[in-house]
DNA sequence: CCCTTAATAGTCACTAGGACTATAAAGAGA
DNA sequence: TCTCTTTATAGTCCTAGTGACTATTAAGGG
């Protein structure tokens, strides 16, 4: 999770999700992409998947004034070192489990985000957006295991992924990733499919329903 | 679909989704519920399921000024006759397929709504929100068939629904709905479950992906 | 008194997938 | 150099879920 340390009141010194205000002539999507580029320093964020989560509009969620926030999730593999924005003291990547006690209602937003992304991993090919352009099935599986917080059986995962047409396709030339510890893994890239049929379901879905 | 005929420019005379503006101290959910009560004349909308869909913020989507809309879907069985609001010439219920050429970007919003609700029928017990407090499995099946636009096999649907713990529970006293044409159907009510495991999947999902 | 309609019960076979074992191919360490 | 460990890959077995059926029951209509 990309978090920024707030430099000003309210919640000065507390960590928060990065964000900003809409400019007069941009959509929320455009603004989110702009803020993402600013915080990460990434030159090209145009190809990144940006997913609108939901809108938070409860009065009083910002003690200063009425603020309506449209939350987005962006998924980037191998993220670069972040750059703190203007009103932030610092910015850094934090594991999900350590991102606690955030400013405003950002704990709630973060939990919703994980929920949503975890759910979309089941029914869409979203997981490849977390991977570099060429990846091994082990890396893809780690995406699922990280977001879902549960281990998966490797042979079954492999069978399922390869049996889904268009999910992944092998890199031509029988390319393999060497340098690891075990047998070199074959390299794949994202296929043309966007949805998974049938879905790749978590066996036991604990946690927040509906 | 509850549509209102616009009485003023822009799009005067065109049908549109009902909506309104946030009051200074209410959340989008509260505002949506208030607008729903105004348009439908329903006294108690507190128990209705209201689902936030997404937020539309493209500049220029309203020619008058910058408007950001948070779209919600409410599901009501046996809806009452609507009452046109202040700025609407008329209000009426319209089948989904006849709700075309709406004002603003409301065609898009409506399509997104159907998509979202159709998807949630697969994984949640949302369908019971479309039914009266006591309903037959045939009525529940019609919800799925209407939203998905495809017929379902009745015995299989029945088996699936009854095999899902907490989805529906029989009304005590072996109550049945008589007065129909065939064999009287047993009455059920919504159970405590909110999610379906495993999901009730559409066999062929055509249409808009991801 | 049939005939139609709709609900309900049950069968059969196929498939996806969970659990598991076995093999292959690399690096690490003795 | 020869294990040993690690990881990828291949394959097996079995069961729950479900699509496609057929059969039966119980109402109303002509």
């Amino acid at each position: 999770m990309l978090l920024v340390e707030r430099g000003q009141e309210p919640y000065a010194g507390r960590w928060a999700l990065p964000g900003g205000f809409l400019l007069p002539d941009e959509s929320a999507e455009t603004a989110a992409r702009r803020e993402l580029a600013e915080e990460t320093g990434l030159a090209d964020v145009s190809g990144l998947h940006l997913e609108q989560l939901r809108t938070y509009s409860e009065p009083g969620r910002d003690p200063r004034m009425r603020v309506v926030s449209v939350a987005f999730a962006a998924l980037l593999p191998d993220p670069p070192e972040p750059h703190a924005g203007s009103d932030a003291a610092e910015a850094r990547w934090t594991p999900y489990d350590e991102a606690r006690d955030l400013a405003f209602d950002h704990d709630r937003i973060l939990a919703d985000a994980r929920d949503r992304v975890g759910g979309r991993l089941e029914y869409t090919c979203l997981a490849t957006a977390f991977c570099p352009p060429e990846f091994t099935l082990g890396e893809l599986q780690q995406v699922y295991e990280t977001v879902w917080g549960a281990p998966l059986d490797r042979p079954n995962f492999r069978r399922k992924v390869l049996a889904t047409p268009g999910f992944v396709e092998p890199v031509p030339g029988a390319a393999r990733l060497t340098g690891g510890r075990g047998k070199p893994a074959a390299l794949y890239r994202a296929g043309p499919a966007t949805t998974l049929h049938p879905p790749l379901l978590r066996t036991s879905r604990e946690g927040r329903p509906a």
Side-chain angles (χ1 to χ4, degrees), chain A residues 125-129 131-135 140 166-171 187-193:
Chain A
C125 299
L126 181 61
T128 55
C131 295
E134 299 188 346
F135 51 87
L140 188 66
F167 190 5
V168 299
E169 47 194 31
V171 172
L187 285 172
Y188 295 86
R189 58 171 63 124

Side-chain angles (χ1 to χ4, degrees), chain A residues 24-107:
Chain A
D25 275 313
E26 67 182 0
S27 68
E29 283 77 7
T30 305
R33 214 172 274 279
R34 172 177 55 76
E35 290 285 339
L36 176 64
E38 289 175 10
E39 304 284 352
T40 59
L42 278 175
D44 182 25
V45 294
S46 60
L48 287 177
H49 178 80
L50 211 60
E51 173 142 348
Q52 187 181 131
L53 299 173
R54 56 161 292 184
T55 296
Y56 300 84
S57 59
E58 280 68 32
R61 51 182 295 277
D62 188 320
R64 293 167 296 179
M65 58 177 177
R66 175 62 175 275
V67 173
V68 173
S69 294
V70 185
F72 286 84
L75 313 176
L76 24 160
D78 305 320
E81 274 306 301
H83 304 261
S86 53
D87 56 346
E90 197 192 332
R92 71 163 184 217
W93 293 99
T94 306
Y96 174 82
D97 291 322
E98 298 170 19
R100 289 283 160 256
D101 296 315
L102 303 181
F104 306 108
D105 53 358
H106 291 189
D107 278 333

